[in-house]
Structures are given as C-alpha cells and as structure tokens.
Amino acid sequence: EACSDFSESLRLGPKLGTLLNLALCHETVGKLATAWTEFHNAAAWAAENDQHDRHEFAVQHVLGIEPKLPRVVFQLPAGAAIATVEVDGEPLPDSRWYLPHFLDPGEHSVAVTAPGKERQTVSFRVVSSPSDQIVIVPPLADEAAPVAHGPAPSGPDPNRARGLGGFLALGAGAI
C-alpha cells in the first residue's frame, strides 16, 4: 500500500524525497527493475540540484540492484521490416529493440507490427533471476486479404416499385 501512496504523492507533487521513498518501497517488494529506474531518475534529479548526499544514496542503490536485475532479450523475426515493438503496451524505441531490457518479475507481453503483416503478441513470464531470458517472437503472418464486397445482385427491387407507385399516386392526386 505504501508504494501506491508514494506513487500518488509523486504524481500530485513531484519531490525528490518522495521518488527516493518510492524507489525504496519498490526495491523492498521485489520490483527491482522499477526501483532501478526510479533510483536512476532520482540520482539525475539530485545531481541537477547539487544534492550530493541524495545523489550518492541513489547511485549506491543503482549499483546494488543492477547485478540482481532480470534481463529480457527479444529475438525478433527476420525477413520483415518491423514497424513497432511494444512492451506491456508501451512503445520501445527502435534503438533498444535488440538490447537487454530490465523488467520486474511477473507476466509481460511484447507486440510487434510490420507493414503488410498481422500484429504478433507474445506473452511471457519474467523470473526473478539475474540472467538473460530470451523471448522469441515468431515470424509475422501476412495480413488477410480484404474481402471484396461486390455490387448487390441485380434484379427487381420490390421497394423501388412500391416507391414509384407511391409517387405516381401522389402525382395523380395532385392533378
């Protein structure tokens, strides 16, 4: 509960101390990748504001967490010009597609798109281990050809005949 409270407090009024407390909270509950990112951000924020003690505190936590982080490497399909890669619904910059990613243990997904191909989504589970975990994205299937809807079959339209009869009756009544 404390992590969600710190997160909400940070959202309402960003403060370095709140970010450090949130990072500590995430580290305590085993969300090491989240804590690592938050400590990185806190270190940058502290350095920017000449808060040396907080900078050192954050850097020490980054260095302590890093060797424990679960790393995920995506093996993306060859032969298709990939357009986008998303991890847990968030776009991943193309410069990071083939680099290891630090993710918290638990369920995740990666989605890949390419022109003329169907979107491929792969669900995977990250285990709490400091080793590389490889996630293989199978080749993307071709998009299904659009179903052509031709013109309606020709033939007498009973509604058109009724409508024409109504206009004729209206015209005769007017005369």
Side-chain angles (χ1 to χ4, degrees):
E1 290 179 24
C3 291
S4 62
D5 290 344
F6 283 129
S7 184
E8 181 64 12
S9 178
L10 188 65
R11 186 186 70 77
L12 294 173
K15 297 209 178 344
L16 179 55
T18 306
L19 179 57
L20 287 168
N21 282 320
L22 179 61
L24 280 170
C25 189
H26 283 140
E27 181 180 14
T28 302
V29 298
K31 290 186 157 191
L32 296 181
T34 300
W36 182 83
T37 300
E38 291 164 346
F39 279 123
H40 253 283
N41 292 339
W45 192 348
E48 197 173 281
N49 292 299
D50 293 324
Q51 295 182 4
H52 302 290
D53 55 337
R54 287 180 165 185
H55 177 264
E56 185 62 28
F57 178 81
V59 167
Q60 289 305 313
H61 278 271
V62 165
L63 295 174
I65 291 172
E66 198 162 309
K68 303 173 193 172
L69 287 172
R71 295 178 307 274
V72 176
V73 177
F74 300 116
Q75 186 175 5
L76 301 175
I82 295 173
T84 63
V85 175
E86 295 175 1
V87 178
D88 297 331
E90 295 294 323
L92 189 63
D94 58 353
S95 62
R96 298 195 54 226
W97 289 353
Y98 299 98
L99 298 176
H101 303 279
F102 298 137
L103 295 174
D104 290 322
E107 300 298 322
H108 297 274
S109 67
V110 60
V112 178
T113 63
K117 303 287 185 180
E118 289 186 9
R119 177 184 177 95
Q120 176 74 265
T121 302
V122 175
S123 296
F124 59 96
R125 181 170 189 74
V126 174
V127 296
S128 185
S129 167
S131 61
D132 286 344
Q133 300 168 46
I134 298 174
V135 175
I136 299 171
V137 178
L140 306 179
D142 291 333
E143 281 184 340
V147 178
H149 295 287
S154 60
D157 181 2
N159 291 330
R160 184 172 179 204
R162 239 184 271 149
L164 184 58
F167 281 121
L168 290 175
L170 182 62
I175 292 178

